[in-house]
Amino acid sequence: MTMKKEWVEFIAILNREVVPALGCTEPVTAALAAARAVEALGTKPQSLVVQVSGNLLKNGMGVGVPGTGMTGLDIAAAVGALGGKSELQLEVLRDLTPEIVEEAKQFMAAGHVKVELAKTEELLFAKAIVEADGHTATCTIARTHTAIVEVTKDNEVIESTPLIEEDASDDAWPLSVAAIYEFAKETDFNDISFILEAARLNESIAAEGLEHDFGLKVGRSMDEDIALGLRSDDITSFATRLAAAASDARMDGIMQPVMSNSGSGNQGITATIPVTAFARRLDKSEEEMARALILSHLTSIHLKHHLGRLSALCGAILAATGSGCGIIMLLGGGLEEVERTIKNMVGTIAGMICDGAKTSCALKVASSVEAAISSALLAMKGTSVPGSDGIVDDDIEICIKNLGRLGSAGMSETDKVILDIMVNK
């Protein structure tokens, strides 16, 4: 099959949005800003201030920071400043040592680290300001988790990049459900086999989550329920507990990267694991699994595009919708069944809120995966929520836009209330 022009763009989108990430991407953004600011400063900082948007604060307050055994943006920024490497991007904390972590804890204990709410309209924003011996350096990240838009030293701009255009205007957006399905089905396997790395990374973290006590132990607990006869060991249960276990480990700050999707590790896990679980239990080939993963990941990216990077809507439901579509492909369904699956998901858990990244995300991942599998199995029987119901629409692209509108415009007040509740505890 010859490579279509838009397929080249699809592969570029996947390479941009499906990347390894070590630690939850919001605290890691603070760490990355701090690391780059210190590199610009050229010496160890004596003080560090990180200014972040409300949404970034929400997602960084309660999640484990890899290698530290602690939660919060302050420790993330401190270890980023003292031991991060900005060229590693979302794996900025990869080379942390116990000595760096100890130094960061002392740096915080001495009162040298401050996290502040930034005055900004940007949903995703982090600015690190470091000082030493009368010199100051800053690094500002905005719109996406690795988009460094400005680096300064002593008020002189040494690096500047325009803001990434993130408006959801559809003229330039190449993805649609039909186009994604055709690409996943028809493109040359060699052009998409790279997606199997997502399976390798995320299955590895799921195995760790089942093996050890991380977070709320959602996945591990499901394993125990099977042994007690409270759950059955069917494919649905297998997919759900693996995804939950990976999220358990991820949210507790495991020192191991996951393959992320649209700037989120949990979304990467949720778009990957249910598909690989079905592929393994159904004895599918690597190629069949890769095609289903491509369908899942691109569908997740497509849904996320209409929502925006950070919102009051839980991203796991979008990624689970993607995995539901991938599962359809593994079950032998076609485009019609894929569209039914999306409608069924929009008709069930469309309003699940995001109240920050934390251990209970594993519960949301589990709920989303179970709903996605139910949606897919119903779709395979020819059942879907009719377009006359609620926010669902017969036109699949309008249906997706409705979901995006609910989460962005519709839930902006919800977002403020969630943040207010969290900050004022």
Side-chain angles (χ1 to χ4, degrees), residues 218-251:
V218 179
R220 200 170 153 91
S221 163
M222 288 178 182
D223 252 0
E224 290 165 10
D225 293 341
I226 289 166
L228 293 168
L230 298 171
R231 289 178 187 268
S232 66
D233 185 18
D234 54 30
I235 302 191
T236 301
S237 172
F238 180 53
T240 306
R241 71 179 185 271
L242 278 182
S247 181
D248 283 326
R250 164 86 178 164
M251 292 292 95

Side-chain angles (χ1 to χ4, degrees), residues 377-406:
L377 296 177
L378 269 176
M380 285 300 287
K381 295 178 183 69
T383 302
S384 72
V385 176
S388 54
D389 280 16
I391 66 166
V392 179
D393 195 278
D394 286 326
D395 181 320
I396 195 66
E397 298 305 328
I398 292 174
C399 190
I400 290 168
K401 280 185 189 142
N402 291 348
L403 178 64
R405 190 174 154 214
L406 168 78

Side-chain angles (χ1 to χ4, degrees), residues 315-395:
I317 67 167
L318 308 180
T321 303
S323 64
C325 297
I327 287 165
I328 287 288
M329 190 174 256
L330 294 171
L331 293 172
L335 179 59
E336 207 175 320
E337 286 77 18
V338 164
E339 291 189 359
R340 284 191 202 124
T341 302
I342 296 170
K343 287 173 188 172
N344 289 343
M345 282 296 274
V346 173
T348 48
I349 57 170
M352 189 192 283
I353 62 160
C354 169
D355 51 349
K358 62 229 165 309
T359 52
S360 61
C361 287
L363 282 167
K364 298 191 186 199
V365 167
S367 299
S368 301
V369 171
E370 283 183 330
I373 296 168
S374 297
S375 295
L377 296 177
L378 269 176
M380 285 300 287
K381 295 178 183 69
T383 302
S384 72
V385 176
S388 54
D389 280 16
I391 66 166
V392 179
D393 195 278
D394 286 326
D395 181 320

Side-chain angles (χ1 to χ4, degrees), residues 264-311:
S264 162
N266 269 336
Q267 280 163 230
I269 286 166
T270 310
T272 305
I273 295 283
V275 176
T276 61
F278 266 72
R280 304 281 183 218
R281 285 277 175 105
L282 296 171
D283 286 327
K284 296 295 182 183
S285 67
E286 295 270 277
E287 178 171 343
E288 287 169 310
M289 182 165 82
R291 293 189 184 283
L293 284 170
I294 288 288
L295 177 58
S296 174
H297 276 276
L298 271 179
T299 302
S300 304
I301 292 164
H302 181 44
L303 294 169
K304 187 76 174 174
H305 169 76
H306 291 283
L307 182 68
R309 295 266 154 188
L310 296 175
S311 72

Side-chain angles (χ1 to χ4, degrees), residues 408-418:
S408 51
M411 292 173 80
S412 58
E413 195 56 37
T414 309
D415 214 22
K416 293 185 191 124
V417 173
I418 292 168

Side-chain angles (χ1 to χ4, degrees), residues 28-322:
V28 163
T29 297
L32 179 60
R36 184 68 190 91
V38 170
E39 287 162 11
L41 189 65
T43 184
K44 266 195 184 166
Q46 291 161 347
S47 73
L48 164 64
V49 178
V50 186
Q51 300 170 342
V52 295
S53 58
N55 279 71
L56 201 121
L57 183 68
K58 181 178 83 173
N59 271 358
M61 285 165 68
V63 68
V65 178
T68 67
M70 293 173 72
T71 62
L73 290 170
D74 44 4
I75 184 66
V79 289
L82 298 173
K85 293 181 181 159
S86 71
E87 74 267 17
L88 297 176
Q89 298 213 302
L90 289 178
E91 293 185 89
V92 59
L93 302 179
R94 192 176 73 191
D95 299 334
L96 286 191
T97 62
E99 294 73 31
I100 292 166
V101 172
E102 190 47 48
E103 189 185 352
K105 287 176 180 175
Q106 288 172 9
F107 192 52
M108 282 168 57
H112 297 316
V113 184
K114 272 209 322 230
V115 178
E116 301 172 347
L117 202 53
K119 292 182 175 66
T120 177
E121 292 295 305
E122 295 292 338
L123 292 176
L124 199 164
F125 179 91
K127 179 178 183 176
I129 305 154
V130 291
E131 290 184 3
D133 304 324
H135 294 285
T136 306
T138 73
C139 170
T140 306
I141 294 175
R143 302 237 170 135
T144 73
H145 295 83
T146 54
I148 294 173
V149 292
E150 189 181 75
V151 179
T152 70
K153 183 176 183 185
D154 295 333
N155 294 324
E156 188 186 327
V157 177
I158 55 175
E159 193 182 311
S160 176
T161 312
L163 280 169
I164 290 169
E165 280 304 323
E166 283 259 301
D167 71 20
S169 79
D170 298 312
D171 309 340
W173 184 243
L175 296 179
S176 69
V177 175
I180 292 167
Y181 178 79
E182 184 196 28
F183 171 68
K185 195 100 177 133
E186 305 290 342
T187 192
D188 193 290
F189 173 49
N190 292 329
D191 293 328
I192 54 167
S193 58
F194 65 84
I195 201 70
L196 293 170
E197 179 66 4
R200 190 186 70 78
L201 280 183
N202 293 354
E203 284 183 313
S204 161
I205 216 160
E208 289 293 320
L210 287 178
E211 191 70 27
H212 305 286
D213 287 347
F214 286 110
L216 297 182
K217 301 177 288 206
V218 179
R220 200 170 153 91
S221 163
M222 288 178 182
D223 252 0
E224 290 165 10
D225 293 341
I226 289 166
L228 293 168
L230 298 171
R231 289 178 187 268
S232 66
D233 185 18
D234 54 30
I235 302 191
T236 301
S237 172
F238 180 53
T240 306
R241 71 179 185 271
L242 278 182
S247 181
D248 283 326
R250 164 86 178 164
M251 292 292 95
D252 209 5
I254 188 172
M255 197 69 184
Q256 203 171 309
V258 302
M259 193 65 86
S260 66
N261 180 299
S262 305
S264 162
N266 269 336
Q267 280 163 230
I269 286 166
T270 310
T272 305
I273 295 283
V275 176
T276 61
F278 266 72
R280 304 281 183 218
R281 285 277 175 105
L282 296 171
D283 286 327
K284 296 295 182 183
S285 67
E286 295 270 277
E287 178 171 343
E288 287 169 310
M289 182 165 82
R291 293 189 184 283
L293 284 170
I294 288 288
L295 177 58
S296 174
H297 276 276
L298 271 179
T299 302
S300 304
I301 292 164
H302 181 44
L303 294 169
K304 187 76 174 174
H305 169 76
H306 291 283
L307 182 68
R309 295 266 154 188
L310 296 175
S311 72
L313 196 73
C314 174
I317 67 167
L318 308 180
T321 303

